[in-house]
Each structure stands twice: as C-alpha cells, then as structure tokens.
Amino acid sequence: MTNLDKDAVLAAFTDAYKKAHGKSPNIESKSGWYSVDGGKNVRLAQLQEMIASLESLQENSTEKTSKKENTTTATSTAKKKATSNTKSGFSVKDFWAEKLNAESPGATLPR
C-alpha cells in the first residue's frame, strides 16, 4: 500500500477535471471520503484512478472534435436521408408472428 499525498492528488485531480469539463470541481471532504460535485463518496486512491480516466476523456474529446470537423457534411447528408425515410417497415409484432408460425405452424399468437 502506498502513501498518497492528499494535497498533490487533489491538485492533480482538480487540474484534470478542469481540462476535461472546463470548470473546477466542488470537492467535499469528510472523514477520509471525498465527494466530487455532490456525487458518490470515494477514497483518495479512487480519485487518483479517476485522474487517468479524466485525462483519457480529454484526449478522446479532442480527437472527436477534429474528427467532427471532417465529417460534418457526411453526417448532415446521412441525417437528411434518415429523416426522409423514417418508416423502416420493421414490426416486432410481425416478426414474432412469423417466428412462431415458422416454429410451429397453426399455433395461435399471444395476446
């Protein structure tokens, strides 16, 4: 078990949170448990683990924004096609009717 420096972990978490969410977190401390923005209470080691996830979240968001700029025209075209053809013709009721008919012909459908 390693000894964690509370101030260093909280400072690193605050920096990572600011970079990922654009605002500083509200961290409440009580008896060795920490609550971030009124959420679930976690220990200091869990906050340190959350730093890595926040950093990866930030990296993913920067990658997504660069990809989003490249694909805006493709997605707008796809949305137009999707909205014009909203009725797909698939019905769950018809699917089950066909399935039951295939498995046991002549069976009655459930209500």
Side-chain angles (χ1 to χ4, degrees):
M1 186 169 156
T2 62
N3 291 333
L4 298 174
D5 183 23
K6 177 182 80 167
D7 296 327
V9 172
L10 290 177
F13 179 79
T14 302
D15 290 339
Y17 190 91
K18 281 182 185 178
K19 289 177 183 175
H21 297 287
K23 64 175 186 169
S24 62
N26 181 16
I27 301 174
E28 298 176 12
S29 173
K30 186 174 181 181
S31 303
W33 291 90
Y34 299 91
S35 175
V36 179
D37 290 336
K40 182 179 173 185
N41 291 337
V42 294
R43 289 286 193 179
L44 193 61
Q46 292 170 322
L47 281 177
Q48 188 174 20
E49 293 171 1
M50 290 171 66
I51 293 171
S53 67
L54 287 173
E55 289 173 349
S56 67
L57 176 70
Q58 179 194 8
E59 291 171 3
N60 289 340
S61 67
T62 56
E63 290 175 6
K64 286 180 182 178
T65 55
S66 64
K67 289 180 183 178
K68 186 185 282 185
E69 292 171 358
N70 295 335
T71 61
T72 54
T73 58
T75 56
S76 63
T77 305
K79 286 181 182 179
K80 288 178 184 176
K81 288 181 182 178
T83 56
S84 65
N85 190 12
T86 57
K87 197 127 185 158
S88 65
F90 178 77
S91 169
V92 176
K93 188 175 181 179
D94 293 336
F95 171 77
W96 279 104
E98 291 174 10
K99 182 179 178 181
L100 289 175
N101 194 20
E103 289 176 358
S104 57
T108 59
L109 298 175
R111 291 198 278 168

